[in-house]
Amino acid sequence: MATPIVTHRRVLAASLVGTAVEFYDFYVYATAAALVFGALFFPAESTAAQQMFSFMSFGLAFVARPVGAIAFGHFGDRLGRKSTLVASLLLMGVSTLLIAFLPTYAMVGWVAPLLLCILRFGQGFGLGGEWGGATLLAVENAPKGWEARFGSAPQFGAPVGFLAANGLFLLLGLGLSDEDFTSWGWRVPFLLSAVLVAVGLWVRLRIGETPAYKAALEKAPPPRVPLGTVLRHHWGPTLAATAGVVACFAIFYLSTAFALSHLTTARHEPRETVLALQLAANLFLALGILVAAIASDRRSPRTALMLGAAATVVLGLGFGPALANGSLGMVFSTLAAALFIMGFAYGPLGGWMPTLFPVTVRYTAMSVAFNGGGIVGGALAPIAAQKLSEGGDVSQVGLLLTAAGLLTLIGVIWGRPASVG
């Protein structure tokens, strides 16, 4: 007899592939922001100022994400999961592709960072509708007892997308001189996103609506304004879910974008060496997601998340010193441990979050919560880390992880299952 994974392989592929494309697009920007965007798109006041502006442009997408979450969540709850997911993927892909053709600050002055920020906003707006829909696509098709494992499918998109983006930048770095990479090489990953988006669209257009959503519509029509229903009746679970995602965002972007920037600029480590370390450490993220997903179905997603949050608190105590003064071997061990722990703070989210909300407002509530938490963990944490780095306090960066872990732990303890409907 075929396993549920084989039986539902098309749905799981649509959930994973689309999210992998989204995270590829998103991390391509994060890597470029750490390596070249500061010098190419912002005035040359100082290297530190350029890098800060670059990370601020990176953080702009996290402001756009909740806006996209509200828009795509509305249509996802009103019209269905499939069509909304196709639209979100298309917007993210087009925004990413157009970045490849942008002029630099030296060419057109202030117009360059303006266009960059507009397209970055488009990236974030599209991603705002991605994770919640992809998760529901998997979970609402899952057989009993497989919800957490199915719900982890979108999470595997993160290491897959990171692997593709990071690996491509590594190959470009090895094959091109610094001058060629800065001149045109950084544009290649943005151009190649068009191929990945085409694959994601092909997969998603071949699936149907989820059984849980269709069953809910047979009982009652969806709310006219899902966000209003969420704010009136589900604000507590939404706040809990928002806090519940902070740790995974903080770990990911401090271990990837910030670590890459700090190690290559402040510690002057070779770019290719750091990219290779992160590429290898990324495998531990996939392993952590897998272990956490299995544990979630055997115990509960809530238990696995609490374990991940608690581990994040402890991780923060050693993360900063390792990044500041540790050998490359210690840096790798720290990044590998961080990303494995992230698997426990990220992998079970797909099994935990849908339990907090009724079916007809899940897309909106989950998207708002996920992307609201992303502002704190994914946008503010790297900016705060950069400020600490400029002040010579890199050893204190890990305390941001400790705070994020505590916030997530509070959210998971607070969040309770809702009646399904």
Side-chain angles (χ1 to χ4, degrees):
M1 175 181 272
T3 67
I5 292 177
V6 174
T7 304
H8 296 83
R9 60 187 180 277
R10 184 176 294 178
V11 167
L12 294 174
S15 182
L16 185 150
V17 171
T19 309
V21 172
E22 301 281 4
F23 273 91
Y24 169 87
D25 289 355
F26 213 66
Y27 192 71
V28 158
Y29 191 102
T31 305
L35 295 178
V36 297
F37 277 178
L40 291 177
F41 287 97
F42 297 98
E45 299 172 2
S46 71
T47 301
Q50 285 181 330
Q51 201 59 42
M52 177 59 70
F53 284 133
S54 182
F55 275 127
M56 288 177 70
S57 76
F58 174 73
L60 178 64
F62 290 95
V63 178
R65 285 170 70 152
V67 182
I70 293 171
F72 285 109
H74 176 86
F75 292 110
D77 283 327
R78 292 280 300 167
L79 303 179
R81 313 325 192 191
K82 174 184 173 178
S83 57
T84 306
L85 279 170
V86 169
S88 71
L89 179 63
L90 197 57
L91 176 59
M92 178 87 176
V94 170
S95 298
T96 303
L97 176 62
L98 290 177
I99 290 175
F101 300 98
L102 285 181
T104 64
Y105 187 87
M107 296 175 182
V108 295
W110 63 268
V111 176
L114 175 63
L115 293 175
L116 179 68
C117 288
I118 290 173
L119 293 178
R120 180 59 176 161
F121 189 91
Q123 277 192 317
F125 193 90
L127 188 56
E130 170 58 31
W131 183 86
T135 298
L136 292 178
L137 184 66
V139 172
E140 292 181 354
N141 277 286
K144 186 70 174 175
W146 285 76
E147 291 87 354
R149 276 169 284 187
F150 272 49
S152 70
Q155 275 71 286
F156 278 107
V160 170
F162 176 79
L163 185 70
N166 188 289
L168 185 54
F169 270 109
L170 177 58
L171 291 175
L172 289 169
L174 292 172
L176 299 176
S177 66
D178 287 344
E179 292 76 14
D180 286 341
F181 180 82
T182 303
S183 175
W184 59 268
W186 65 269
R187 299 179 186 270
V188 174
F190 292 93
L191 284 170
L192 291 180
S193 69
V195 178
L196 298 177
V197 170
V199 173
L201 288 173
W202 178 76
V203 173
R204 285 191 170 171
L205 288 171
R206 291 164 56 87
I207 60 173
E209 194 51 76
T210 70
Y213 181 75
K214 289 189 289 188
L217 290 185
E218 291 176 0
K219 296 178 182 178
R224 292 180 63 85
V225 183
L227 179 63
T229 301
V230 169
L231 294 178
R232 284 194 303 271
H233 304 296
H234 306 286
W235 61 268
T238 302
L239 287 178
T242 301
V245 305
V246 169
C248 69
F249 275 104
I251 294 174
F252 187 71
Y253 287 108
L254 290 184
S255 298
T256 55
F258 173 75
L260 176 62
S261 174
H262 173 73
L263 291 170
T264 55
T265 57
R267 290 187 49 169
H268 306 292
E269 301 289 352
R271 180 180 61 219
E272 289 72 33
T273 300
V274 180
L275 287 170
L277 288 179
Q278 291 186 323
L279 201 63
N282 176 63
L283 299 176
F284 288 85
L285 171 56
L287 179 62
I289 293 172
L290 177 63
V291 174
I294 295 172
S296 294
D297 274 332
R298 289 181 178 176
R299 298 291 297 273
S300 74
R302 188 167 179 264
T303 300
L305 277 171
M306 290 176 67
L307 178 60
T312 304
V313 173
V314 178
L315 169 69
L317 302 179
F319 184 87
L323 213 59
N325 304 305
S327 64
L328 285 181
M330 182 178 292
V331 168
F332 170 74
S333 298
T334 301
L335 294 180
L339 291 174
F340 181 81
I341 291 170
M342 180 191 160
F344 274 82
Y346 184 49
L349 287 176
W352 175 65
M353 231 191 264
T355 67
L356 304 180
F357 308 103
V359 174
T360 51
V361 296
R362 276 179 179 171
Y363 204 135
T364 298
M366 288 173 56
S367 297
V368 168
F370 186 77
N371 293 291
I375 294 178
V376 179
L380 297 184
I383 292 174
Q386 183 65 26
K387 292 294 289 184
L388 289 172
S389 177
E390 290 176 19
D393 294 326
V394 176
S395 60
Q396 304 299 312
V397 165
L399 297 181
L400 297 172
L401 291 179
T402 298
L406 287 171
L407 189 57
T408 289
L409 188 60
I410 292 170
V412 177
I413 292 173
W414 184 15
R416 297 290 179 178
S419 58
V420 182

